[in-house]
Amino acid sequence: MGLGRDWAEDWVRASATTVSEHRSELIKLDREIGDGDHGENLDRGYTAVIAKLDGLAPDASLADVLKLVATTLISTVGGAAGPLYGTAYLRASSAVGGAETLDGEGVVALLTAARDGIVARGKAEPGDKTMIDAWTPAVDAAAEAAAAGKSEAEILAAAADAAEAGAAATEPLVARKGRASYLGERAIGHRDPGAQSTALLLRAAAQTASP
């Protein structure tokens, strides 16, 4: 049956909810190794997204939903997170194209495009202690699940599981990008807030895809 516009809207609304619920956690993580505004910025951005989502045209497509998220986050979220997540959603929108629904391969293409957009914007690599350390294992796990013939919900669940493990795996890393890189070895022992928010957003994607 695949995942269509309704799923995309449900994902966005669930993302806004989980970002709000974990706002303080993300602020705390970012205060430890960054400037402390990750949770606040994302919460403000998704609140703006939901306000615009309610006014989306009835005939808007799945890609239109993702593009709305992209443009809203870019215009409302400061720091690095807005441009990075905005680019992710924009690339995901392009990958979806005119498809009304996504099958397993479509889900992997969406996640891959989002990850590649973040890489292109942030120039980060796995091991840099950034959100890429959650996105890359998520994409790899999604591709593996799709190749095994898993359902769209199972593919997203595999991606979410891998993102959570990837976020946890940033704790022993020395940051090589962003403000955290100024801390050197003092960043060791702290989880990257971008990797953690990635895990939250992908878990929301998986939960809203579940039957």
Side-chain angles (χ1 to χ4, degrees), residues 18-202:
T18 194
V19 164
S20 177
E21 290 174 346
H22 292 270
R23 176 178 176 276
S24 296
E25 173 194 353
L26 294 174
I27 288 173
K28 178 178 181 295
L29 290 175
D30 200 26
R31 278 179 178 160
E32 291 172 347
I33 61 171
D35 48 19
D37 61 0
H38 189 60
E40 181 179 348
N41 282 343
L42 275 190
D43 190 27
R44 181 175 64 254
Y46 276 98
T47 298
V49 168
I50 296 304
K52 291 187 177 181
L53 194 63
D54 292 337
L56 200 60
D59 61 348
S61 66
L62 194 166
D64 289 337
V65 173
L66 298 174
K67 190 173 182 180
L68 179 145
V69 179
T71 55
T72 306
L73 291 183
I74 290 172
S75 63
T76 59
V77 178
L84 289 172
Y85 275 128
T87 301
Y89 281 102
L90 200 57
R91 293 287 188 93
S93 173
S94 296
V96 168
E100 293 186 2
T101 60
L102 301 177
D103 59 10
E105 290 185 0
V107 170
V108 175
L110 183 158
L111 295 176
T112 302
R115 186 274 311 274
D116 291 350
I118 293 170
V119 170
R121 171 68 69 173
K123 312 297 183 189
E125 300 177 351
D128 282 347
K129 198 179 181 89
T130 72
M131 60 176 67
I132 290 301
D133 290 306
W135 274 100
T136 295
V139 169
D140 291 345
E144 185 176 342
K150 302 291 187 181
S151 69
E152 293 83 9
E154 290 171 328
I155 291 168
L156 285 169
D161 290 345
E164 288 174 359
T170 63
E171 293 180 9
L173 298 178
V174 174
R176 297 195 294 249
K177 289 286 184 181
R179 189 181 295 269
S181 65
Y182 302 146
L183 297 176
E185 293 191 353
R186 285 181 293 154
I188 293 175
H190 300 286
R191 184 173 303 199
D192 179 71
Q196 184 64 14
S197 62
T198 293
L200 293 172
L201 297 179
L202 292 182

